Amino acid sequence: MTEKATEKATEKATEKVTERVTEKVAVLGTGKIGEALLSGMIRSGWSPSDLLVTARRPERAAELRARYGVEAVSNADAAKIADTLILTVKPQDMGALLDELAPHVPADRLVISGAAGIPTAFFEARLAAGTPVVRVMTNTPALVDEAMSVISAGSHATEEHLAHAEAIFGGVGKTLRVPETQQDAATALSGSGPAYFYFLVEAMTDAGILLGLPRDKAHDLIVQAAIGAAVMLRDSGEHPVKLREAVTSPAGTTISAIRELESHGVRAALIAALEAARDRSRELASGNG
């Protein structure tokens, strides 16, 4: 299929999704990520009257109701009322939630999982036969509409269901489809990714203080450098090696710093860290939480 034909097929699927797949969406277990998604959906045009939330604590449910004008319901009622269920509880709580939902979820409901490590087969085995499940790993920049949400289809999910998931998560950033076999790797890179950058900023801020800068000035310098570098990576289309080389003059300051990073094994440490994150995602899938 040509790129143009693919785009047309996706557009048609999106139109069908709007008409048929969902009328109401429920976010179950509305913590930080769930709330970020909820607020992003409202900003992107969803009506609060079409959105439901569930929360473990009554005071949290009341807070969401007051803040967003959405209806707070029980998990069972959400399963009965909503056409799409977005499950945002922690991986270790997902089994108990599915046990609660299973008697109330008809096979025509779209179930979207935001839990790290848990495969779509886990949901399909606990819900009515034929229930469409879509797995999504997003990240905390959803709070500022700059999330990266990685989307995979379960065995019963159609193009319409995937397009609908993209429409929802597109309200808080970018989306990318991958085969489910790549989800653990995507979790390591993207789901956990913001934490690595925060860690680097923290370390560089400490270095700035060591070099004689006040903390606030070191922080501002590093954050703006990070923003500028990210925008250049996104917009220039250049390989990161070329962008780095453009900053690296012969016998200059940058190459001296790069030499130290390489001699301390920073590249190898990052690769090992991402492998560890991927392996932990696999452990969560196997129930070793």
Side-chain angles (χ1 to χ4, degrees), residues 48-253:
S49 63
D50 291 331
L51 302 173
L52 305 171
V53 296
T54 77
R56 181 176 295 177
R57 294 177 292 109
E59 57 270 28
R60 172 63 172 164
E63 178 186 338
L64 293 166
R65 188 187 302 112
R67 186 174 297 167
Y68 299 105
V70 295
E71 185 179 359
V73 298
S74 68
N75 290 327
D77 284 343
K80 295 171 188 174
I81 299 168
D83 302 276
T84 298
L85 305 174
I86 305 174
L87 313 185
T88 62
V89 301
K90 294 177 181 178
Q92 58 267 34
D93 296 329
M94 192 61 77
L97 176 61
L98 289 174
D99 288 343
E100 183 181 353
L101 293 177
H104 310 290
V105 180
D108 63 350
R109 295 289 190 267
L110 170 59
V111 175
I112 298 176
S113 165
I118 302 182
T120 54
F122 180 90
F123 299 86
E124 292 168 350
R126 288 160 175 78
L127 298 172
T131 300
V133 180
V134 173
R135 179 176 170 183
V136 181
M137 174 48 59
T138 191
N139 56 19
T140 54
L143 292 162
V144 291
D145 294 344
E146 290 292 348
M148 184 73 246
S149 300
V150 184
I151 298 174
S152 301
S155 58
H156 306 298
T158 66
E159 172 64 31
E160 294 179 9
H161 297 121
L162 288 169
H164 183 52
E166 287 173 332
I168 291 172
F169 284 85
V172 292
K174 289 191 172 185
T175 63
L176 177 70
R177 293 188 196 182
V178 302
E180 190 170 8
T181 54
Q182 296 176 4
Q183 272 282 357
D184 291 325
T187 296
L189 260 72
S190 180
S192 301
Y196 313 146
F197 288 99
Y198 302 147
F199 182 86
L200 288 172
V201 168
E202 178 188 1
M204 292 173 71
T205 300
D206 288 343
I209 295 168
L210 179 66
L211 297 174
L213 289 167
R215 177 174 292 276
D216 59 341
K217 287 185 171 58
H219 176 81
D220 288 348
L221 288 168
I222 294 159
V223 169
Q224 187 55 40
I227 292 169
V231 171
M232 288 187 72
L233 279 167
R234 184 190 66 193
D235 295 349
S236 71
E238 295 283 3
H239 192 282
V241 169
K242 290 193 71 173
L243 293 173
R244 178 176 62 77
E245 287 176 345
V247 188
T248 309
S249 304
T253 59

